[in-house]
Amino acid sequence: MKENWILTNKKESFLKLSNSIEENPLVLRLLANRGIDDINLAKRFLYGKVKDMYDGYLMKDMKKGVSIIKNAIENNKKIIIYGDYDCDGVNSTTILYKALKKVNANYSYYIPNREEEGYGMHSGRIKKLKEEGYEVILTCDNGISAFEQVEIAKELNMEVVITDHHDIPIRENEDGVLVKSIPIADAVINPKRSDCNYPFKMLCGAGIALKFSKCLFDEFNIEEDAIMDLFQFAAIATVCDVVDLVDENRIIVKKGLELLNNTKNLGILELKKSTGLFDKKLEEYHLGFVIGPCINATGRLETADLSVELLITEDENRAKALANQLSELNSIRQDLTKESTERVLRSLDNELKKDDKVIVVYDKDIHESIAGIVAGRIKEKYNLPCIVLTGAKEMPKGSARSIEGYNITEELSKCKELIEKFGGHPMAAGLSLKEENIDILRRRLNENCHLTDEDVVPIVKIDLPLSLNYLNEELIEVVEDLRPFGKGNPSPLFAVKDLNIERMWLLGKEKNFLKLRFSFYKNERKLYIDGVTFDKLEDFRESLIEIYGEDKYIEAVETSYLNIKADVIYYPSINEFRGSRTVQMNIKNIRLKTI
């Protein structure tokens, strides 16, 4: 796929930071490139600790919500934690569960079944909870769109405290004007409220549950260590919910990783064992691509209660059995995802119209729990917004994934008369609609789409041209100190031109990974450095064949010798193998030079 490589150089921001902070110039340039040019935010990014987090009571309705729960505890009212089935929802539920246990509440939790009830609060379930004696509902990672459900709960004389982080819904008011609206709950705690003065708006659901728990602990004079233990669950959710890893999110993940690497939680310990991570240092990658997917798999293929039970159990045998079950479910999910993605890609080869800028796929056979993952894979393949719809009990439902510059939730709101239910973020959404409206929705979205051909060309932002002569362990250590990497703080990317590729190898059981050996000169001495990539082999192969011919590629595979030049974007790291440490390039993008 064609890419635009752009060198980021925010000189004014860099100079502003340089004049105020004594820090490695490379670090300051990387901060400036990420839009962090405020001195206080830069210091918070570099040196922020748990003690520097904002007061949770700055959130609108926090004091009101905590007072309701405190009163319920003191009067032995039954409280139900109403969670969600994804990784954020599971960890939010876990945090509130452990917090309420600590303050001796009369409580339980409920997470809806994805297929039976779908996302968020369910009207029938509210009535059943009332019949079971619950008087107070405390939501996490959901509730901001539960207008009907909250009304039912209030009619049943239940108190409702919403803690959520999703965008505030836009609804028609009595005058037919679209305005942001919130349910009539007793307390609505969401920093994205326009009347909320909380300084940081990008917490995930578990982050808000963590803040709520801290305020609740303060009311009951609970020791500081109790809240610290909850950071590990908030860290998993923060990484997996793909919120910006800056400000408080950065503090949460750094502290959480510290705790996770020394955890005493039986469920996490057993999950680390079952996924082969027990003797490894956990980084944000492991949360996002190993631990998180296992937690998510239960809500996709079974019930998310399994994941909550794993995180709250105090029985070692139970923890081991659940961890193994989660790992097995994730393997099944991976196979389903691969099969479904390949099938959709084959259909798009024939069905995708040349001028379409929004992909809408309807495949009844895709398991509805993986529609979002498949949509994400299709989006990455074409760099276009993608909606994947699948068969469901009442009507087709699915998930959307978008690209920068296209607010998928806002665009869906313009077609609301075609959709029965939807909600989400600018980059992701969930929706349900009648089958006869699918083609109309596809046409309408594309007719209204403002994306140009240039808009959908992937942009790769380079932080710095960096010759291989400068690579050493000290520089890599400086870069690694900027972890955790993720949305809002991507891993730094460096570039080098006209680099000679001397050799290549195909690695892995399926020979689907690529290793290259580059040569360069330092002080007239020829040196070598290896580079690896796990997702660019096909692009490399196609480019090599296009420029040099298929015989050249076959020869290179058979002999490993190549001797061609390329421009490379990379991230440097240390490769440790059998006690030896060597500098290595993680290849992010590569362009072969024409003959």
Side-chain angles (χ1 to χ4, degrees), residues 256-300:
L257 282 168
E258 176 189 321
L259 293 165
L260 286 164
N261 278 297
N262 298 280
T263 190
K264 295 179 181 178
N265 181 274
L266 293 178
I268 294 174
L269 284 171
E270 291 299 333
L271 192 56
K272 287 167 70 174
K273 291 177 183 177
S274 68
T275 55
L277 297 177
F278 188 70
D279 58 349
K280 295 182 180 179
K281 180 183 177 182
L282 288 188
E283 299 285 4
E284 64 274 15
Y285 171 85
H286 301 109
L287 303 189
F289 292 94
V290 184
I291 300 294
C294 287
I295 292 173
N296 264 326
T298 59
R300 297 184 189 283

mmCIF file of all heavy atoms in Angstrom, residues 256-300:
data_model
loop_
_atom_site.group_PDB
_atom_site.id
_atom_site.type_symbol
_atom_site.label_atom_id
_atom_site.label_comp_id
_atom_site.label_asym_id
_atom_site.label_seq_id
_atom_site.Cartn_x
_atom_site.Cartn_y
_atom_site.Cartn_z
ATOM 1 N N GLY A 256 0.707 0.448 37.289
ATOM 2 C CA GLY A 256 0.080 -0.861 37.120
ATOM 3 C C GLY A 256 1.058 -1.932 36.677
ATOM 4 O O GLY A 256 1.030 -3.062 37.177
ATOM 5 N N LEU A 257 1.935 -1.579 35.737
ATOM 6 C CA LEU A 257 2.932 -2.544 35.273
ATOM 7 C C LEU A 257 3.904 -2.917 36.393
ATOM 8 O O LEU A 257 4.313 -4.080 36.514
ATOM 9 C CB LEU A 257 3.699 -1.978 34.078
ATOM 10 C CG LEU A 257 2.965 -2.034 32.730
ATOM 11 C CD1 LEU A 257 3.687 -1.199 31.686
ATOM 12 C CD2 LEU A 257 2.830 -3.474 32.251
ATOM 13 N N GLU A 258 4.251 -1.937 37.191
ATOM 14 C CA GLU A 258 5.117 -2.210 38.346
ATOM 15 C C GLU A 258 4.470 -3.235 39.267
ATOM 16 O O GLU A 258 5.115 -4.181 39.735
ATOM 17 C CB GLU A 258 5.367 -0.896 39.090
ATOM 18 C CG GLU A 258 6.168 -1.029 40.377
ATOM 19 C CD GLU A 258 6.183 0.262 41.174
ATOM 20 O OE1 GLU A 258 6.271 1.351 40.564
ATOM 21 O OE2 GLU A 258 6.086 0.195 42.424
ATOM 22 N N LEU A 259 3.180 -3.068 39.510
ATOM 23 C CA LEU A 259 2.445 -3.997 40.373
ATOM 24 C C LEU A 259 2.250 -5.357 39.707
ATOM 25 O O LEU A 259 2.378 -6.407 40.354
ATOM 26 C CB LEU A 259 1.083 -3.398 40.727
ATOM 27 C CG LEU A 259 1.116 -2.154 41.620
ATOM 28 C CD1 LEU A 259 -0.230 -1.451 41.598
ATOM 29 C CD2 LEU A 259 1.494 -2.530 43.051
ATOM 30 N N LEU A 260 1.933 -5.352 38.417
ATOM 31 C CA LEU A 260 1.695 -6.608 37.697
ATOM 32 C C LEU A 260 2.934 -7.480 37.661
ATOM 33 O O LEU A 260 2.842 -8.720 37.647
ATOM 34 C CB LEU A 260 1.217 -6.309 36.276
ATOM 35 C CG LEU A 260 -0.225 -5.813 36.161
ATOM 36 C CD1 LEU A 260 -0.470 -5.183 34.797
ATOM 37 C CD2 LEU A 260 -1.203 -6.963 36.394
ATOM 38 N N ASN A 261 4.102 -6.861 37.625
ATOM 39 C CA ASN A 261 5.343 -7.637 37.600
ATOM 40 C C ASN A 261 5.710 -8.192 38.970
ATOM 41 O O ASN A 261 6.647 -8.982 39.085
ATOM 42 C CB ASN A 261 6.479 -6.775 37.038
ATOM 43 C CG ASN A 261 6.472 -6.735 35.524
ATOM 44 O OD1 ASN A 261 6.646 -7.762 34.874
ATOM 45 N ND2 ASN A 261 6.247 -5.563 34.950
ATOM 46 N N ASN A 262 4.956 -7.784 39.990
ATOM 47 C CA ASN A 262 5.171 -8.330 41.338
ATOM 48 C C ASN A 262 3.829 -8.726 41.963
ATOM 49 O O ASN A 262 3.679 -8.716 43.179
ATOM 50 C CB ASN A 262 5.848 -7.271 42.224
ATOM 51 C CG ASN A 262 7.212 -6.864 41.711
ATOM 52 O OD1 ASN A 262 8.196 -7.567 41.918
ATOM 53 N ND2 ASN A 262 7.292 -5.728 41.029
ATOM 54 N N THR A 263 2.880 -9.080 41.103
ATOM 55 C CA THR A 263 1.516 -9.294 41.576
ATOM 56 C C THR A 263 1.377 -10.510 42.475
ATOM 57 O O THR A 263 2.102 -11.502 42.330
ATOM 58 C CB THR A 263 0.537 -9.426 40.387
ATOM 59 O OG1 THR A 263 -0.806 -9.404 40.882
ATOM 60 C CG2 THR A 263 0.780 -10.721 39.617
ATOM 61 N N LYS A 264 0.425 -10.393 43.396
ATOM 62 C CA LYS A 264 0.056 -11.529 44.234
ATOM 63 C C LYS A 264 -1.352 -12.003 43.886
ATOM 64 O O LYS A 264 -1.869 -12.921 44.529
ATOM 65 C CB LYS A 264 0.133 -11.130 45.708
ATOM 66 C CG LYS A 264 1.557 -10.796 46.166
ATOM 67 C CD LYS A 264 1.585 -10.392 47.632
ATOM 68 C CE LYS A 264 3.012 -10.045 48.059
ATOM 69 N NZ LYS A 264 3.073 -9.592 49.477
ATOM 70 N N ASN A 265 -1.952 -11.374 42.861
ATOM 71 C CA ASN A 265 -3.289 -11.773 42.437
ATOM 72 C C ASN A 265 -3.227 -13.152 41.794
ATOM 73 O O ASN A 265 -2.517 -13.360 40.801
ATOM 74 C CB ASN A 265 -3.847 -10.747 41.450
ATOM 75 C CG ASN A 265 -5.248 -11.085 40.985
ATOM 76 O OD1 ASN A 265 -5.433 -11.840 40.037
ATOM 77 N ND2 ASN A 265 -6.237 -10.523 41.654
ATOM 78 N N LEU A 266 -3.958 -14.102 42.340
ATOM 79 C CA LEU A 266 -3.872 -15.490 41.876
ATOM 80 C C LEU A 266 -4.274 -15.633 40.417
ATOM 81 O O LEU A 266 -3.647 -16.389 39.656
ATOM 82 C CB LEU A 266 -4.764 -16.378 42.746
ATOM 83 C CG LEU A 266 -4.348 -16.551 44.214
ATOM 84 C CD1 LEU A 266 -5.366 -17.416 44.951
ATOM 85 C CD2 LEU A 266 -2.956 -17.168 44.312
ATOM 86 N N GLY A 267 -5.309 -14.924 40.015
ATOM 87 C CA GLY A 267 -5.783 -15.028 38.636
ATOM 88 C C GLY A 267 -4.751 -14.546 37.634
ATOM 89 O O GLY A 267 -4.505 -15.193 36.613
ATOM 90 N N ILE A 268 -4.158 -13.408 37.926
ATOM 91 C CA ILE A 268 -3.145 -12.868 37.009
ATOM 92 C C ILE A 268 -1.914 -13.758 36.983
ATOM 93 O O ILE A 268 -1.333 -14.015 35.914
ATOM 94 C CB ILE A 268 -2.778 -11.428 37.412
ATOM 95 C CG1 ILE A 268 -3.977 -10.495 37.208
ATOM 96 C CG2 ILE A 268 -1.585 -10.920 36.596
ATOM 97 C CD1 ILE A 268 -3.774 -9.076 37.698
ATOM 98 N N LEU A 269 -1.510 -14.270 38.140
ATOM 99 C CA LEU A 269 -0.359 -15.184 38.184
ATOM 100 C C LEU A 269 -0.591 -16.411 37.319
ATOM 101 O O LEU A 269 0.279 -16.816 36.544
ATOM 102 C CB LEU A 269 -0.086 -15.603 39.630
ATOM 103 C CG LEU A 269 0.598 -14.580 40.539
ATOM 104 C CD1 LEU A 269 0.589 -15.066 41.985
ATOM 105 C CD2 LEU A 269 2.039 -14.335 40.079
ATOM 106 N N GLU A 270 -1.778 -17.001 37.429
ATOM 107 C CA GLU A 270 -2.073 -18.205 36.644
ATOM 108 C C GLU A 270 -2.228 -17.877 35.161
ATOM 109 O O GLU A 270 -1.839 -18.671 34.300
ATOM 110 C CB GLU A 270 -3.332 -18.877 37.169
ATOM 111 C CG GLU A 270 -3.178 -19.515 38.540
ATOM 112 C CD GLU A 270 -2.122 -20.617 38.576
ATOM 113 O OE1 GLU A 270 -1.873 -21.244 37.529
ATOM 114 O OE2 GLU A 270 -1.547 -20.850 39.653
ATOM 115 N N LEU A 271 -2.759 -16.692 34.859
ATOM 116 C CA LEU A 271 -2.892 -16.297 33.454
ATOM 117 C C LEU A 271 -1.515 -16.072 32.836
ATOM 118 O O LEU A 271 -1.286 -16.409 31.667
ATOM 119 C CB LEU A 271 -3.755 -15.039 33.335
ATOM 120 C CG LEU A 271 -4.231 -14.664 31.924
ATOM 121 C CD1 LEU A 271 -4.985 -15.823 31.280
ATOM 122 C CD2 LEU A 271 -5.106 -13.421 31.972
ATOM 123 N N LYS A 272 -0.589 -15.529 33.603
ATOM 124 C CA LYS A 272 0.788 -15.365 33.127
ATOM 125 C C LYS A 272 1.419 -16.735 32.840
ATOM 126 O O LYS A 272 2.135 -16.909 31.851
ATOM 127 C CB LYS A 272 1.617 -14.589 34.157
ATOM 128 C CG LYS A 272 1.281 -13.103 34.224
ATOM 129 C CD LYS A 272 1.872 -12.423 35.444
ATOM 130 C CE LYS A 272 3.379 -12.292 35.371
ATOM 131 N NZ LYS A 272 3.913 -11.499 36.517
ATOM 132 N N LYS A 273 1.117 -17.701 33.694
ATOM 133 C CA LYS A 273 1.646 -19.054 33.472
ATOM 134 C C LYS A 273 1.052 -19.682 32.218
ATOM 135 O O LYS A 273 1.766 -20.252 31.391
ATOM 136 C CB LYS A 273 1.342 -19.943 34.679
ATOM 137 C CG LYS A 273 2.105 -19.590 35.947
ATOM 138 C CD LYS A 273 1.677 -20.495 37.100
ATOM 139 C CE LYS A 273 2.370 -20.112 38.398
ATOM 140 N NZ LYS A 273 1.899 -20.954 39.546
ATOM 141 N N SER A 274 -0.257 -19.576 32.071
ATOM 142 C CA SER A 274 -0.930 -20.250 30.957
ATOM 143 C C SER A 274 -0.596 -19.610 29.607
ATOM 144 O O SER A 274 -0.771 -20.243 28.560
ATOM 145 C CB SER A 274 -2.444 -20.255 31.165
ATOM 146 O OG SER A 274 -2.969 -18.949 31.067
ATOM 147 N N THR A 275 -0.119 -18.370 29.612
ATOM 148 C CA THR A 275 0.220 -17.683 28.357
ATOM 149 C C THR A 275 1.731 -17.585 28.139
ATOM 150 O O THR A 275 2.179 -16.901 27.220
ATOM 151 C CB THR A 275 -0.387 -16.270 28.340
ATOM 152 O OG1 THR A 275 0.036 -15.542 29.503
ATOM 153 C CG2 THR A 275 -1.897 -16.332 28.305
ATOM 154 N N GLY A 276 2.508 -18.247 28.985
ATOM 155 C CA GLY A 276 3.962 -18.261 28.816
ATOM 156 C C GLY A 276 4.655 -16.982 29.231
ATOM 157 O O GLY A 276 5.779 -16.697 28.789
ATOM 158 N N LEU A 277 4.020 -16.198 30.111
ATOM 159 C CA LEU A 277 4.599 -14.911 30.526
ATOM 160 C C LEU A 277 5.120 -14.924 31.956
ATOM 161 O O LEU A 277 5.582 -13.887 32.448
ATOM 162 C CB LEU A 277 3.544 -13.799 30.406
ATOM 163 C CG LEU A 277 3.006 -13.499 29.010
ATOM 164 C CD1 LEU A 277 1.929 -12.420 29.099
ATOM 165 C CD2 LEU A 277 4.125 -13.066 28.074
ATOM 166 N N PHE A 278 5.079 -16.063 32.602
ATOM 167 C CA PHE A 278 5.357 -16.094 34.043
ATOM 168 C C PHE A 278 6.757 -15.594 34.381
ATOM 169 O O PHE A 278 6.949 -14.903 35.384
ATOM 170 C CB PHE A 278 5.171 -17.506 34.590
ATOM 171 C CG PHE A 278 5.253 -17.574 36.094
ATOM 172 C CD1 PHE A 278 4.246 -17.032 36.880
ATOM 173 C CD2 PHE A 278 6.348 -18.149 36.725
ATOM 174 C CE1 PHE A 278 4.319 -17.077 38.267
ATOM 175 C CE2 PHE A 278 6.430 -18.196 38.113
ATOM 176 C CZ PHE A 278 5.416 -17.664 38.889
ATOM 177 N N ASP A 279 7.739 -15.933 33.572
ATOM 178 C CA ASP A 279 9.120 -15.545 33.885
ATOM 179 C C ASP A 279 9.593 -14.356 33.049
ATOM 180 O O ASP A 279 10.787 -14.095 32.942
ATOM 181 C CB ASP A 279 10.065 -16.731 33.664
ATOM 182 C CG ASP A 279 9.998 -17.267 32.240
ATOM 183 O OD1 ASP A 279 9.076 -16.865 31.500
ATOM 184 O OD2 ASP A 279 10.864 -18.092 31.870
ATOM 185 N N LYS A 280 8.642 -13.622 32.449
ATOM 186 C CA LYS A 280 8.999 -12.477 31.618
ATOM 187 C C LYS A 280 8.568 -11.179 32.282
ATOM 188 O O LYS A 280 7.608 -11.150 33.056
ATOM 189 C CB LYS A 280 8.330 -12.584 30.239
ATOM 190 C CG LYS A 280 8.829 -13.760 29.412
ATOM 191 C CD LYS A 280 8.169 -13.782 28.041
ATOM 192 C CE LYS A 280 8.673 -14.959 27.214
ATOM 193 N NZ LYS A 280 8.013 -15.004 25.881
ATOM 194 N N LYS A 281 9.284 -10.110 31.959
ATOM 195 C CA LYS A 281 8.876 -8.793 32.438
ATOM 196 C C LYS A 281 7.715 -8.308 31.584
ATOM 197 O O LYS A 281 7.815 -8.215 30.365
ATOM 198 C CB LYS A 281 10.038 -7.801 32.337
ATOM 199 C CG LYS A 281 9.673 -6.413 32.831
ATOM 200 C CD LYS A 281 10.820 -5.432 32.651
ATOM 201 C CE LYS A 281 10.384 -4.035 33.097
ATOM 202 N NZ LYS A 281 11.455 -3.026 32.891
ATOM 203 N N LEU A 282 6.598 -8.021 32.225
ATOM 204 C CA LEU A 282 5.424 -7.566 31.488
ATOM 205 C C LEU A 282 5.609 -6.131 31.026
ATOM 206 O O LEU A 282 6.011 -5.253 31.786
ATOM 207 C CB LEU A 282 4.174 -7.633 32.365
ATOM 208 C CG LEU A 282 3.597 -9.010 32.703
ATOM 209 C CD1 LEU A 282 2.269 -8.844 33.417
ATOM 210 C CD2 LEU A 282 3.418 -9.857 31.461
ATOM 211 N N GLU A 283 5.326 -5.884 29.758
ATOM 212 C CA GLU A 283 5.293 -4.537 29.203
ATOM 213 C C GLU A 283 3.885 -4.296 28.665
ATOM 214 O O GLU A 283 3.041 -5.195 28.662
ATOM 215 C CB GLU A 283 6.331 -4.388 28.075
ATOM 216 C CG GLU A 283 7.770 -4.604 28.501
ATOM 217 C CD GLU A 283 8.349 -3.433 29.286
ATOM 218 O OE1 GLU A 283 7.595 -2.466 29.574
ATOM 219 O OE2 GLU A 283 9.541 -3.483 29.626
ATOM 220 N N GLU A 284 3.664 -3.071 28.164
ATOM 221 C CA GLU A 284 2.333 -2.743 27.663
ATOM 222 C C GLU A 284 1.920 -3.660 26.511
ATOM 223 O O GLU A 284 0.725 -3.937 26.332
ATOM 224 C CB GLU A 284 2.263 -1.270 27.223
ATOM 225 C CG GLU A 284 3.152 -0.889 26.068
ATOM 226 C CD GLU A 284 4.569 -0.507 26.485
ATOM 227 O OE1 GLU A 284 4.967 -0.798 27.636
ATOM 228 O OE2 GLU A 284 5.274 0.084 25.662
ATOM 229 N N TYR A 285 2.902 -4.153 25.741
ATOM 230 C CA TYR A 285 2.586 -5.076 24.640
ATOM 231 C C TYR A 285 1.872 -6.313 25.164
ATOM 232 O O TYR A 285 0.882 -6.785 24.573
ATOM 233 C CB TYR A 285 3.867 -5.483 23.906
ATOM 234 C CG TYR A 285 3.638 -6.602 22.912
ATOM 235 C CD1 TYR A 285 3.207 -6.327 21.621
ATOM 236 C CD2 TYR A 285 3.827 -7.935 23.276
ATOM 237 C CE1 TYR A 285 2.962 -7.353 20.714
ATOM 238 C CE2 TYR A 285 3.590 -8.967 22.374
ATOM 239 C CZ TYR A 285 3.166 -8.665 21.095
ATOM 240 O OH TYR A 285 2.921 -9.690 20.211
ATOM 241 N N HIS A 286 2.360 -6.869 26.259
ATOM 242 C CA HIS A 286 1.775 -8.099 26.800
ATOM 243 C C HIS A 286 0.356 -7.866 27.298
ATOM 244 O O HIS A 286 -0.497 -8.755 27.210
ATOM 245 C CB HIS A 286 2.644 -8.634 27.942
ATOM 246 C CG HIS A 286 4.053 -8.933 27.533
ATOM 247 N ND1 HIS A 286 5.126 -8.170 27.946
ATOM 248 C CD2 HIS A 286 4.561 -9.875 26.703
ATOM 249 C CE1 HIS A 286 6.236 -8.659 27.420
ATOM 250 N NE2 HIS A 286 5.918 -9.686 26.660
ATOM 251 N N LEU A 287 0.098 -6.670 27.814
ATOM 252 C CA LEU A 287 -1.265 -6.361 28.253
ATOM 253 C C LEU A 287 -2.200 -6.277 27.053
ATOM 254 O O LEU A 287 -3.307 -6.811 27.078
ATOM 255 C CB LEU A 287 -1.292 -5.035 29.028
ATOM 256 C CG LEU A 287 -0.386 -4.907 30.250
ATOM 257 C CD1 LEU A 287 -0.706 -3.621 31.005
ATOM 258 C CD2 LEU A 287 -0.513 -6.110 31.161
ATOM 259 N N GLY A 288 -1.747 -5.588 26.005
ATOM 260 C CA GLY A 288 -2.603 -5.342 24.848
ATOM 261 C C GLY A 288 -2.782 -6.531 23.932
ATOM 262 O O GLY A 288 -3.829 -6.662 23.278
ATOM 263 N N PHE A 289 -1.783 -7.429 23.885
ATOM 264 C CA PHE A 289 -1.832 -8.502 22.885
ATOM 265 C C PHE A 289 -1.831 -9.909 23.472
ATOM 266 O O PHE A 289 -1.919 -10.879 22.726
ATOM 267 C CB PHE A 289 -0.670 -8.352 21.902
ATOM 268 C CG PHE A 289 -0.800 -7.131 21.031
ATOM 269 C CD1 PHE A 289 -0.183 -5.947 21.385
ATOM 270 C CD2 PHE A 289 -1.563 -7.158 19.882
ATOM 271 C CE1 PHE A 289 -0.325 -4.806 20.598
ATOM 272 C CE2 PHE A 289 -1.707 -6.040 19.084
ATOM 273 C CZ PHE A 289 -1.086 -4.859 19.445
ATOM 274 N N VAL A 290 -1.733 -10.027 24.794
ATOM 275 C CA VAL A 290 -1.784 -11.361 25.410
ATOM 276 C C VAL A 290 -2.827 -11.407 26.532
ATOM 277 O O VAL A 290 -3.828 -12.102 26.431
ATOM 278 C CB VAL A 290 -0.396 -11.786 25.951
ATOM 279 C CG1 VAL A 290 -0.471 -13.219 26.489
ATOM 280 C CG2 VAL A 290 0.670 -11.694 24.861
ATOM 281 N N ILE A 291 -2.577 -10.641 27.585
ATOM 282 C CA ILE A 291 -3.473 -10.663 28.739
ATOM 283 C C ILE A 291 -4.865 -10.157 28.366
ATOM 284 O O ILE A 291 -5.888 -10.810 28.639
ATOM 285 C CB ILE A 291 -2.899 -9.804 29.889
ATOM 286 C CG1 ILE A 291 -1.524 -10.320 30.334
ATOM 287 C CG2 ILE A 291 -3.880 -9.766 31.062
ATOM 288 C CD1 ILE A 291 -1.542 -11.673 30.970
ATOM 289 N N GLY A 292 -4.916 -8.977 27.750
ATOM 290 C CA GLY A 292 -6.204 -8.377 27.387
ATOM 291 C C GLY A 292 -7.058 -9.254 26.486
ATOM 292 O O GLY A 292 -8.251 -9.453 26.760
ATOM 293 N N PRO A 293 -6.503 -9.782 25.394
ATOM 294 C CA PRO A 293 -7.305 -10.649 24.526
ATOM 295 C C PRO A 293 -7.861 -11.885 25.231
ATOM 296 O O PRO A 293 -8.959 -12.340 24.899
ATOM 297 C CB PRO A 293 -6.308 -11.041 23.418
ATOM 298 C CG PRO A 293 -5.385 -9.863 23.342
ATOM 299 C CD PRO A 293 -5.212 -9.417 24.767
ATOM 300 N N CYS A 294 -7.118 -12.427 26.185
ATOM 301 C CA CYS A 294 -7.641 -13.573 26.942
ATOM 302 C C CYS A 294 -8.856 -13.162 27.768
ATOM 303 O O CYS A 294 -9.859 -13.880 27.837
ATOM 304 C CB CYS A 294 -6.556 -14.139 27.857
ATOM 305 S SG CYS A 294 -5.264 -15.064 26.999
ATOM 306 N N ILE A 295 -8.770 -11.991 28.401
ATOM 307 C CA ILE A 295 -9.903 -11.486 29.183
ATOM 308 C C ILE A 295 -11.085 -11.203 28.257
ATOM 309 O O ILE A 295 -12.236 -11.527 28.575
ATOM 310 C CB ILE A 295 -9.483 -10.225 29.956
ATOM 311 C CG1 ILE A 295 -8.470 -10.595 31.046
ATOM 312 C CG2 ILE A 295 -10.698 -9.517 30.560
ATOM 313 C CD1 ILE A 295 -7.862 -9.409 31.766
ATOM 314 N N ASN A 296 -10.807 -10.602 27.108
ATOM 315 C CA ASN A 296 -11.870 -10.284 26.154
ATOM 316 C C ASN A 296 -12.549 -11.530 25.598
ATOM 317 O O ASN A 296 -13.738 -11.509 25.256
ATOM 318 C CB ASN A 296 -11.305 -9.468 24.994
ATOM 319 C CG ASN A 296 -11.490 -7.980 25.200
ATOM 320 O OD1 ASN A 296 -12.479 -7.542 25.773
ATOM 321 N ND2 ASN A 296 -10.539 -7.196 24.728
ATOM 322 N N ALA A 297 -11.782 -12.625 25.467
ATOM 323 C CA ALA A 297 -12.299 -13.825 24.807
ATOM 324 C C ALA A 297 -13.503 -14.407 25.532
ATOM 325 O O ALA A 297 -14.400 -14.988 24.913
ATOM 326 C CB ALA A 297 -11.202 -14.880 24.681
ATOM 327 N N THR A 298 -13.564 -14.247 26.852
ATOM 328 C CA THR A 298 -14.688 -14.828 27.593
ATOM 329 C C THR A 298 -15.994 -14.131 27.225
ATOM 330 O O THR A 298 -17.018 -14.778 27.025
ATOM 331 C CB THR A 298 -14.465 -14.722 29.109
ATOM 332 O OG1 THR A 298 -14.302 -13.349 29.480
ATOM 333 C CG2 THR A 298 -13.248 -15.510 29.528
ATOM 334 N N GLY A 299 -15.950 -12.805 27.139
ATOM 335 C CA GLY A 299 -17.149 -12.059 26.764
ATOM 336 C C GLY A 299 -17.555 -12.293 25.331
ATOM 337 O O GLY A 299 -18.720 -12.132 24.960
ATOM 338 N N ARG A 300 -16.598 -12.697 24.502
ATOM 339 C CA ARG A 300 -16.887 -12.930 23.088
ATOM 340 C C ARG A 300 -17.498 -14.316 22.867
ATOM 341 O O ARG A 300 -18.418 -14.483 22.069
ATOM 342 C CB ARG A 300 -15.609 -12.798 22.253
ATOM 343 C CG ARG A 300 -15.011 -11.405 22.286
ATOM 344 C CD ARG A 300 -13.805 -11.309 21.355
ATOM 345 N NE ARG A 300 -13.075 -10.061 21.523
ATOM 346 C CZ ARG A 300 -13.463 -8.888 21.041
ATOM 347 N NH1 ARG A 300 -14.573 -8.813 20.348
ATOM 348 N NH2 ARG A 300 -12.752 -7.799 21.243
#
